[in-house]
Amino acid sequence: MSVGEKHYWKSVAQRQGVREEPPAPGVSRRGFLEAAGFTVSLAALGGCQRAPVREALPYVAQPEGARPGRPLRFATTCGGCPAGCGLLATVRDGRPLKMEGLPEHPLSRGGLCAVGQALPLGLYDSQRLTAPRQNGQPATWPEVDAAIRDQLARTAARGGRVRVVTPTITSPTLRHAIDQFLKQFPDGRQITFDPLGGSAILAAHEQTHGRRVLPRYRLDRARVIVSLDADFLGAWYSPVEHTVGWRQGRTLPLRAGGHAADATHEPGGKGDGQHAAGPESPHDPGPIDLAYHVQFESRMTLTGSNADRRYVVHPSVISAVAAWLWQRVLGVRPAGAPPGDAAQLDALAQRLRDSQGQALVLCGSHDVATQVIVNRLNDALGAYGQTLDLDAPSRQRQDNAADLAALVADLKAGRIAGLIVAGVDLTYYLPPDEALDAALENVPLTIAIGEHLGDFAGRARFVCPDQHPLESWLDAEPVAGLFSIRQPTISPLADTRSALESFAAWSGRAASALELVQAYWREQVFPRPQAPGEFQAFWDRAVQDGFVDLTAEVPRTEPVRRSADQPRTPLPAASDELTLVLHPTAAIPDARHAHNPWLQELPDPITKVTWDNFAAISPRLAEQQGLAQDDVVQITVAGGSLELPVCIQPGQHERVVAVALNYGVPGTQRFAKVGPQWFQARPTVGAGGRVGVNAAPLVALTSGGIAYVRGGVQLKPTGRRQRLATTQLHDLLEVPAATRPPGSEARQALVQETTLAEYRRDPTAGAPHAHHFDGQLWPDDHPSEGHRWGMVIDLNRCSGCSACLIACQSENNVPVVGRDEVQRHREMHWIRIDRYYAGDEAEPEVVHQPMLCQHCAHAPCETVCPVLATVHSREGLNQQVYNRCVGTRYCANNCPYKVRRFNWFDYAHDDTLQNLALNPDVTVRMRGIMEKCSFCVQRIQEGKIEARRRGIAVADGAIQAACQQSCPGDAIVFGDLNDPASRVAQAMRDARRFTVLEELNVRPSVGYLRKVRNEG
Amino acid sequence: MSSPLRPPLIAGHKSLADVTRDICTPLEGRPSSWWWAGLAVSASMLLVGLVSVGYQIAWGIGTWGLNKTVGWGFDITNFVFWIGIGHAGTLISAVLFLFRQQWRTSVNRAAEAMTLFAVMCAGIFPLIHMGRPWLFFWFAPYPNARGPLWINFKSPLVWDFFAISTYFLVSALFWYFGLLPDLATLRDRAVGWRKKLCGVLCLGWNGSARTWHRYETVYLLLAGLATPLVFSVHTIVSMDFATSVIPGWHTTIFPPYFVAGAIFSGLAMVLTLMLIARKTMRLEAYLTARHVDAMCQLMLAMGCLVGLAYGTEFFLAFYSGNPYEQFVFLNRAAGPLAWAYWTMVTCNVLVPQVLWLKAARRNFALVFAVSILVNVGMWFERFVIIVTSLHRDYLPSSWATYVPTLIELTTLVGSFGLFFTCFLLFCRFVPVIAMAEVKGVLDVGHETRREDAVVTGEAA
C-alpha cells in the first residue's frame, strides 16, 4: 500500500468490519440542518431593518487630547456677574456641561456660586435670541450692520448725542472697544448702570481718597468684621470672593477628640472606650480663635444669619451707627442719643480699636454721606492697606447713579440721538413712565444688545443678540492687575455675535473677538513690567491658566482727605411709617438669570421660597396688621403700587417691608407650564403671567440715582391668598410648648453648636451628653479594606449660600419640577440646606445645615426595599439602583433624614436644546424611581479608573464630590476614611464632630463639625 | 346538631327542604330591585375607580397627594383597611369552626366571601402604589440570569407579598371547598347549562358517606391552615410599620394591636353586610338576633382590646422618655391632624361601648350604625398611624402636610365599588348561607323544644 493510499480506521468496530448503526428514524441530520438553516435565515431576514443612517464624521484634525467620552477642562472666567470668578468648564464631546471654580484663582480659590453653576442652562436656552432683529422682524447681520452704520454716520455728522448704557464692564478689551466706538461721536458717553450698584461707595472714595474706586475687601485679613447692611456673603459684589475670605476667620484647627476616624465603623464588641468622654491629649492645636463678625441690618440676609452678633436696625439708623462707632473709635464723646444700646456699641468700638489693622467695616448703604463716614471709620482703624485694598482695587462696580438720572432727563427732553443698551434691561429696572416710553419711541437709533428679548429690546429698533459667556472670547479684570481670560467652550449655538465684535464692527474695525482680545493684550497687558517672555507664550499661558496676576505693581493709595460734607440722600426716618427695602437675591442677581429654571427653583437661603418674590414682613408687623403668610397685600409708595404675597420673616425690623428685585422679568411666561401637566397641575407663573412681580414700580428715580429704600409705605390686605412654594415649612429646632413632652429638651440636638469660650475650655462642648459606647451587638455587616468614602461638613464655614444645590443638580441631572410640585413638597434637590431659627422671633439665631444622604452603614432604607434596589457597596456607599427600583417608597419613609427623592412624574425633557446640559455619566431617571445623593459615584469611579490607568493610588482630594468642589466656604470635605492621613479622616476624628440622630445607630458616613459662635 | 337545651339557632322551625328552598330561591329567580339598585351604584363606583387608577398609572404617583415626606397615604391606608376587614371572615370560618361555635354557620359563607373580596381590594393597592407597577413580578423570587438576583427577604413588603398571596389562596380554597355541597345542591335543582356548570364546579359531588367524610376532613385541615393566617397575615402587615425606625411606627405593640383591630373592623363589615342581606334576601330566620348578638359581643371585645392598645401606646411613649416618640403622640392628639385622631378614638373606643347593653345589641338599626362608624374609625386609625407618623418625624425641616387629591378619593371609592360589586354578584350567584352547615345545626327531630326558647329574628 502506498502512503497516499493509507486508510486510517475510526474505530475498532470499523477495523473489524462491524457495520455502524443505522441513523435513528425521523429527521435526518441533513434534513434538520436544512430546516434550521432555512428558519434561521428567514428569521434573520425578517429581523433585518435598515438601520437609520446617521452621519459620523471623524475629526480631520483631532483637537489635542480629545477622546470621545473623556472630559476636557478649560479655564475661563465666569460671566454670571461682574465678580469675575475663575471658572473651570468641563467639556465633553464638544459640550460644556459642568462648571467648577478654578482652584488657583486668587479671588475665588476654586469656589463657585449657584449662579456660576447654573451657567450651562443659560447657554442651552432655547429662548435666547438666535438672530438679529430690525424693527421687530428677524434680519441678518449684514443688513443690520449696514443700517446701523448708516444711522451712526448720520448721527456723527449731525453731532447728535450717543449714549451707551452697560452694566459694570470688567473687561478692559470691551471697555476699550466701546471707547473707540464712542470716539466717532462728538458727544458720546458710556453710562454704567448697575441695578443696586456701588455708586455710593465710589462717590465716597472720591471724596475721601480722590478717586472713584471700590476697594477690594480683604476679609481674609480681618479679625473683626462689622457689616452695616452689607450682605457680603449673599448678594454684594463678589460673594464667592468674600466667602473665601470670610472662611479664613471661621476655621478652627482640628483637635482630636477621642472619636474613631470612621463614625460608621466602630469595631464591634471591643468596648475599648474608643468614644471617650473627653479629649485625648490634645496635640497642640495652636491659638484657638475666630474672627468676630457683627451685622447691623434691617432684614434677615444670608450674611446676617451667619454673624456672631446681629442687630436689627432700621435702615435710617445705619448712618448713625457708623458715626457713633467712628467717634468712639477716635475716643470722642458723640453728641446725641446712641442709635442702640450704648454699652454694646461701645464694647464693639473698643473691640474695633483693639484690632487695629485687622478690622474691617463694610457698608451696603446707597447714601454717600454714610459711606464717607464708614471710610473715615476704616481709616481710623488702619484698614486701608490691610483689610481694604486700594492698591489693587476692585473693578466690580463702576456705576454712577447720577449718570442714570441725567440720561433719563436727556431722553425725555429728546436730546439723545442714539441709545445703545448692552447687557442690562434698562427700562425693566425703571418705574413705569409714560413720558419715557414716548421719548424712547422718538429716539432715532435704539439698539439692544443682550441674550433675551427683554423689556427694552422689545422697543428697540435693532436687537443684536449677544453671546453667552461660555461661547465667546473676552477678558476680565475684576480686580486691578488681575487679568483673566474668558474662552469659549463651544461654538456659538446660533447666529449671535458678542458685544465686543458688535462694537468693533460699528467702529469700522470689524474683527473677531479673539483677534480683538489678543490685540488689546498685546498692546496693554503684555507690556506691563511683570509680564515675562514672548507674547505668544504669555498668551498661551494665560489661556491655559485662565488668569494672569499682575496685581503687585499698582500705585499706593493716597491718604484720606478731609473734605466738606456731602448733602445726603434723605433716607426715610425711623417712625411709625413703614419703610420699603428693595434688594437682590443671591440666586437671581440680575434679570437675565430669571430665565434659568435652576435658579428659580433654588430655595432662597433664608426664606426657602421658590419661583416667586414676596413682601417679607416681621412677625410683629404681621400680627399688628392681621396678616398671615401667603396673604396677598397691596404695597403702595409714592409713585407706584404692587400686589405681592406676604412672607413672615423672623429677625426683620418691625417697620420694614422687604421685596426682592429681578422678578416679573419679561419672557418668564415661558415657565407657565414647567412641571408635569396633569389635570390638577397649577401654573408656575403668577397672576400676571410671569414668575413673580417686577418691583421696579416701587423704586424712585431721583437726581441722585435710584432709591431702593422708600418711606411712607402702605400695606393693604386684598383678601386673596397666593400660596408661596417653600421647601421648608418648619423652622424651629425648638419644639413648640404645646407639643413638647414635659421634661424634654427644649431644643433638639440635630444641629449642635457652642460658643468660642466654651470650646476653648472643652473641645467637645456642645455635645448633648457624653457618649459611652460599649460596642455593637452585631458583627459589622460591611467591612471594608479598600476605600471607605465619607464626608464631613463644617458648620462654621457653611454660609448657607446653596451653591452646592445647583452643583449637584448640574452634575446629577436632577430635574426641575415647577412651582406646583414644590408646593406639594416634591422638589428634587438631592442636597438641601436646612435653616433653623432659635431663640426670640424678633432676633433669632440662625443656623444652616446641609443635609444629604448620610450613606448610613446601618441604613434603614436598605433593609426595607423589597427588590434590593438599595444596597450597600463595599466602599461604604449606599447605592440606589435605578433600573431595579419599582417605587414602593418604603425606603423614603424609613429614612430618618428624609433625603430620598421620588420621581412622581416623568419630568419633561422635551426641550432638546436644554437636554444638552445633561451629564451623560449619570442616568436620567424615569418616573416611579427613587433617587438620592450618590456621593457622586460617577466621579469616584472616574477617579479610581484614572488612578488605575496611571498605576498610582487614589490621592486624597483627587476625587471631589460636586457639592464639595463648588463650595466657596470649603465647608465640605470628602474622601477616604480608611486613609488615616486624609482630610476627611482627620476631620472625623475632630472633637467637634457629631453625627445627626446619632442615637438611632444608623451609623452615617457624614459627620458635621459643631458650629462655634464667637460669643462669650 | 344542636342541643335541645339551647334555643335553636335558626328560627321558624325550618326543615331541611325549607333551608334549601329559602337559600336557593333568590338565586334562581329574578333579582330584586334592591339588587339592581345596589349593583348600579357599586358598578358606577367601580367605574370611577377604574378611570382614576388608569389615569394614575398613566401619569404617575404624582397624581396622588403624596410627597417626599409622606410617601404613603391613602394607598397603604386602604390596603391595611381592606386586609383587616378580611380577617373577620377567616376568624368566623376557621377559628370559630375549631372552637365549634355553631352559630357561625349562618354567617361563615358570606363572611368568607367578604374576606376574598376584601383581599382582592386590598391586593390592588400594593400593586398600584408602586411607581412602576408593570414590574410587580419582581416581587416574586423566580430564577433569573441576573446573578441570579433574588428579592430582599428581610423586607416586610416581601413578607406581605407572601402573606397576602398565601392568605388569598388559602381563603379561596377554603371557601371553595366549603361551597362544594351547596354547589351540588344547586346542580340538583338546576337545569340546562346551569346544571352542567354546577356539576363541573362541584367536582362530581355524589353525597356519599365517603365523600362527606373526605369533605369534612379537608374542611378541618383547611380550617386549621387558615387559623394561623388570621394572626400571621395582619401581624406581617403590621411589620410594614413596626420594623421601621420612624417614631410612631417603631413599636412592638403593632402585631397584636393590628390583629385585634383587623378582627374588629372585619366583624363590623360582616355585620353591615349581614344586616342588609337578611332584610333584602328575606333571611331573617337564618340571621337572627342571636347571631347579631354574638358578633356584637366579639366586636365589643375587640374594640376594648383596641382601646387598650391605644392607651398602652400612650403610656409607652411617656414611659420611654424618647422625645420623638412622645412628640408623635402629642402631635396626633393636638397637631394639625388631631381631627382624624379624635374621629378614630370616638368611633373605635367610645361608640362600641354602647354594645355592653343587651338592648342595644338587639336594636339592629343601632348595630348597623355602630358597624359603619367602627369601619370609619378603623380607616382613620390606619390613616392616623401612617400619615401622622410620617408627616412630622425626626427633622423639623422635612415636616410637611398631606392633602389627598381627587384621584385618591375616587380610587378609595372605586375599591368600595369593587367590593360591593363582587359581593352583590356573590349574593346573586352563590348561596349566601352555607346550606349544608346550617342543616347540620337545625333541630330536626327535636319536636320537644321549648316554644318560649325560640328567639325570633325580630328585636325583643
Side-chain angles (χ1 to χ4, degrees), chain B residues 246-259:
Chain B
I246 302 300
W249 280 11
H250 182 73
T251 166
T252 52
I253 201 178
F254 271 4
Y257 168 17
F258 269 56
V259 172

Side-chain angles (χ1 to χ4, degrees), chain A residues 676-680 723 727-733 735-736 738-742 744-745 748-750 781 821 823-827 832 834-836 849 851 860 862-868 882-890 892-898 900-906 926-929 996-997 999-1000 1002, chain B residues 55-72 75-76 126 129-136 138-139 142 146 149-158 239-246 249 318 322-324 326-327 330-331 334-335 390 392-403 405-407:
Chain A
Q677 295 301 304
W678 65 296
F679 83 102
Q680 286 192 319
R723 260 182 69 212
T727 59
Q728 186 176 341
L729 281 181
H730 291 269
D731 320 313
L732 303 175
L733 278 178
V735 186
T739 44
R740 184 188 313 157
S744 72
E745 292 283 325
Q748 295 174 346
L750 298 169
D781 277 345
E821 289 290 287
Q823 270 176 353
R824 294 175 197 262
H825 311 291
R826 296 180 189 161
E827 72 281 1
R832 63 175 193 262
D834 291 340
R835 182 267 302 119
Y836 294 110
Q849 184 180 48
M851 183 52 66
E862 288 169 12
T863 46
V864 298
C865 174
V867 292
L868 291 172
Y882 302 131
N883 50 350
R884 179 70 172 169
C885 176
V886 289
T888 59
R889 303 181 297 288
Y890 197 168
N893 287 340
N894 215 19
C895 175
Y897 307 99
K898 286 292 180 286
R900 286 174 156 271
R901 299 287 175 260
F902 187 68
N903 284 274
W904 302 97
F905 291 100
D906 264 322
M926 73 173 287
R927 72 172 160 103
I929 288 180
V996 179
L997 296 175
E999 62 269 27
L1000 292 184
V1002 294
Chain B
Y55 186 79
Q56 171 247 313
I57 292 184
W59 274 91
I61 306 285
T63 53
W64 290 351
L66 303 171
N67 53 53
K68 63 182 169 55
T69 305
V70 182
W72 288 344
D75 48 353
I76 302 300
H129 98 296
M130 290 162 60
R132 299 202 288 173
W134 48 91
L135 297 172
F136 67 93
W138 281 355
F139 272 75
Y142 60 93
R146 297 192 290 269
L149 178 64
W150 301 116
I151 51 180
N152 183 7
F153 292 102
K154 290 193 257 187
S155 165
L157 298 186
V158 166
M239 299 290 194
D240 284 352
F241 312 107
T243 56
S244 85
V245 301
I246 302 300
W249 280 11
F318 154 70
N322 178 344
Y324 299 110
Q326 291 169 348
F327 174 76
L330 286 174
N331 183 48
L390 284 178
R392 286 185 174 183
D393 63 338
Y394 290 101
L395 299 187
S397 59
S398 298
W399 289 357
T401 52
Y402 169 68
V403 178
T405 60
L406 183 64
I407 299 281

Side-chain angles (χ1 to χ4, degrees), chain A residues 255-274:
Chain A
R255 292 158 87 182
H259 295 280
D262 181 356
T264 70
H265 209 87
E266 321 285 8
K270 288 204 191 123
D272 53 357
Q274 283 227 338

